[in-house]
Amino acid sequence: QVQLVESGGGLVQPGGSLRLSCAASGIIFSDSTMTWYRQAPGKQRELVALINSSIRTIADSVKGRFTISRVDANNTMYLQMNRLKPEDTAVYYCNAVWSGRPYWGQGTQVTVSS
């Protein structure tokens, strides 16, 4: 059974930092393309950052502030978020594509507010 478990969300003031984690099980993590998405209230889900063995991409809206990384030995992906803005408020989801199939985590809420 595939499980993706996000953690690290919460309430932070503008300009603050958070680090999200996505712990995966039931997949061959090193063979998977891992992605962070987010969905703000009333908006469509959008890609934030993607990483696999070949590429690492990040959305223009967060470039220079967010960093995606992974530790294959721990089956974990991370999203370091710095200089957070109110518009970063959203539910952040972990996605894994393994053997051509997508899997989703339950999401973690990030709220940026003073």
Side-chain angles (χ1 to χ4, degrees):
Q1 182 179 357
V2 177
Q3 277 195 312
L4 302 174
V5 180
E6 301 99 332
S7 60
L11 172 64
V12 63
Q13 292 187 341
S17 298
L18 285 173
R19 188 175 82 153
L20 305 184
S21 300
C22 171
S25 59
I27 60 173
I28 300 177
F29 188 80
S30 58
D31 289 346
S32 302
T33 293
M34 301 298 298
T35 308
W36 286 103
Y37 288 83
R38 68 183 182 186
Q39 188 166 18
K43 295 189 176 181
Q44 289 193 331
R45 192 170 295 190
E46 64 172 348
L47 186 148
V48 177
L50 176 151
I51 187 168
N52 62 25
S53 59
S54 303
I55 61 173
R56 187 184 312 215
T57 62
I58 198 148
D60 288 342
S61 58
V62 303
K63 196 167 291 182
R65 299 188 297 120
F66 290 12
T67 303
I68 188 171
S69 62
R70 61 192 288 166
V71 178
D72 288 353
N74 294 340
N75 288 355
T76 303
M77 172 179 67
Y78 302 96
L79 185 68
Q80 178 66 44
M81 307 187 294
N82 298 328
R83 303 201 308 276
L84 282 159
K85 304 176 181 180
E87 51 263 43
D88 295 319
T89 295
V91 179
Y92 284 71
Y93 296 91
C94 171
N95 171 276
V97 177
W98 176 59
S99 290
R101 293 187 61 184
Y103 301 91
W104 291 92
Q106 81 288 350
T108 186
Q109 176 71 46
V110 171
T111 302
V112 185
S113 175
S114 55

